[in-house]
Amino acid sequence: MATKRPKQKRASGYAKDLLDVATMPRMQVDELLRLAAALKAKHQRGTAHSLLAGKTLGLLFQKPSTRTRVSFEAGMNQLGGHALVLPVGEIQLSRGESVADTARVLSRYLDGIVIRTYDHAIVQEWAAESTMPVINGLTDLSHPCQALSDLMTIKERKGRFKGLKVAYVGDGNNVANSLIEAAAKVGMQIALGCPAGYQPDQHVVDRARLEAARTGAAIEVCVDPQIAVKEADVVYTDVWISMGREREQARRLRALSPYQLNGRLLQKAKPDAIVMHCLPAHRGEEITAEVLDGPQSVVIDQAENRLHMQKAILVQLLRQKKGRA
Ligand code: CP
Ligand code: NVA
């Protein structure tokens, strides 16, 4: 039986791991936003640097991924380090080796690891058993790297957080949960229009409301997408059938079809509202092609920012000296 180690903090005072936005200090989020913008500018100028020379990042994905996997891998290379994809079926985890033993051993080889998995408790176990930083690359509960880079996109487009209203319509899933945490952290209003049974995680909402009371944010959850979108500055949606929910397809399509982000719904938002989607998208389901490919959509720039924000996360977490297992 694995012994639990006390929560480790790094020299910066920030936690070793990045599992959720809610548990990050505001100062850490602000620092990431500054660093990501600086790294983006450097990348655009073509300035060479090797902030993570000699470091190796592991990538362990138990669900498919295009953006997260490729942007972490490319980002690590751009920072002068090396990324190592660990195909799940080719490591001993797939033959029953424990997470604890795998995490302890990999901590001796790697400087950090990104995990994409199902149950959120699995990334928590990785974090508890590793001495290297563990980054949540998406669980059924949350997608913090997405939400942090979405903050970057919103800041670029709108220049601020305070006074903005973000609307999220559709399935109150992992992406919605992290967006709520991010909005609460930076003091933005967020309104979610999700049908009964598909609303965001109640613990996430309760905890975000406590944070919102400190930051001036407001978290509203309702069943009417039109109320959620009314006068919004940012309109966000995500797929109705997240990875792992495929067997619920028919039920989900029935419940969520009134929540499609289409031209009619978008008209309720401010005329200069931007449309966001974490991608991959299903045109004709949660969003129409007209809106996803329309003039208000920022989804490709949004996806690009995954690269810059994740490089900032890597620099923040991996540059600090790693302890011994
Ligand atoms: N948005 C996002 O995380 O995309 P991938 O599933 O392609 O990584
Ligand atoms: N909610 C989606 C996000 C994909 C990036 C899923 O979990 O499949």
Side-chain angles (χ1 to χ4, degrees):
M1 185 68 190
T3 42
K4 287 272 172 278
R5 293 186 181 81
K7 262 196 175 155
Q8 297 176 56
K9 290 220 169 185
R10 313 235 110 193
S12 63
Y14 301 139
K16 168 177 84 66
D17 312 294
L18 197 166
L19 300 190
D20 278 305
V21 180
T23 50
M24 298 170 75
R26 168 72 193 260
M27 203 191 296
Q28 184 178 9
V29 174
D30 288 343
E31 195 179 293
L32 282 176
L33 288 166
R34 275 195 302 276
L35 190 52
L39 288 167
K40 182 172 183 173
K42 257 188 186 163
H43 185 69
Q44 286 170 343
R45 285 196 305 268
T47 314
H49 58 82
S50 53
L51 291 167
L52 295 183
K55 304 276 185 187
T56 307
L57 176 73
L59 297 165
L60 182 60
F61 281 57
Q62 297 182 301
K63 292 173 175 173
S65 169
T66 299
R67 281 142 287 271
T68 310
R69 202 200 109 164
V70 177
S71 55
F72 265 117
E73 192 170 347
M76 195 63 190
N77 292 336
Q78 290 169 17
L79 290 163
H82 179 70
L84 181 67
V85 176
L86 302 162
V88 182
E90 293 175 28
I91 60 172
Q92 299 286 8
L93 255 184
S94 65
R95 295 181 62 248
E97 187 169 15
S98 69
V99 167
D101 287 349
T102 311
R104 289 170 182 188
V105 170
L106 291 184
S107 292
R108 301 283 178 107
Y109 306 149
L110 301 174
D111 298 287
I113 192 162
V114 182
I115 310 271
R116 171 170 286 197
T117 190
Y118 293 87
D119 190 346
H120 194 71
I122 297 173
V123 287
Q124 290 173 322
E125 187 180 2
W126 271 92
E129 299 297 346
S130 300
T131 51
M132 61 184 164
V134 173
I135 298 169
N136 172 3
L138 180 147
T139 65
D140 291 345
L141 181 69
S142 63
H143 197 3
C145 297
Q146 180 72 53
L148 289 166
S149 61
D150 292 343
L151 285 181
M152 179 180 183
T153 305
I154 293 170
K155 188 81 185 287
E156 281 179 350
R157 295 288 173 152
K158 297 288 173 187
R160 64 189 204 285
F161 297 124
K162 286 265 180 229
L164 291 184
K165 176 181 177 183
V166 178
Y168 178 98
V169 288
D171 184 23
N173 59 17
N174 43 10
V175 169
N177 288 334
S178 290
L179 197 62
I180 291 169
E181 294 182 357
K185 190 65 65 185
V186 299
M188 262 188 321
Q189 183 189 353
I190 183 165
L192 296 103
C194 311
Y198 297 92
Q199 299 212 326
D201 183 85
Q202 196 54 48
H203 171 68
V204 165
V205 173
D206 292 343
R207 189 169 56 172
R209 284 195 170 130
L210 292 178
E211 175 115 48
R214 288 191 295 272
T215 63
I219 323 285
E220 188 192 342
V221 182
C222 66
V223 291
D224 187 338
Q226 310 223 8
I227 291 177
V229 171
K230 192 161 182 260
E231 290 298 302
D233 300 278
V234 177
V235 184
Y236 203 124
T237 191
D238 184 23
V239 291
W240 291 340
I241 299 144
S242 282
M243 292 178 279
R245 301 286 186 177
E246 290 78 8
R247 275 183 302 188
E248 301 165 22
Q249 180 168 353
R251 184 158 57 86
R252 286 179 162 268
L253 291 179
R254 263 197 312 277
L256 287 153
S257 59
Y259 292 78
Q260 184 186 64
L261 179 50
N262 51 35
R264 214 164 354 104
L265 185 57
L266 188 57
Q267 271 180 6
K268 305 278 172 198
K270 286 190 181 152
D272 65 347
I274 56 168
V275 170
M276 297 180 74
H277 189 307
C278 65
L279 303 180
H282 291 86
R283 288 171 178 80
E285 285 188 17
E286 77 276 3
I287 191 164
T288 56
E290 168 206 21
V291 171
L292 189 76
D293 304 316
Q296 288 169 266
S297 171
V298 300
V299 298
I300 303 299
D301 292 341
Q302 178 186 356
E304 179 191 329
N305 280 341
R306 299 291 308 278
L307 172 72
H308 309 300
M309 176 50 76
Q310 284 160 193
K311 283 167 74 178
I313 291 168
L314 292 171
V315 169
Q316 192 180 65
L317 297 185
L318 270 58
R319 274 189 99 195
Q320 301 161 27
K321 189 96 191 84
K322 130 177 129 121
R324 278 183 60 81

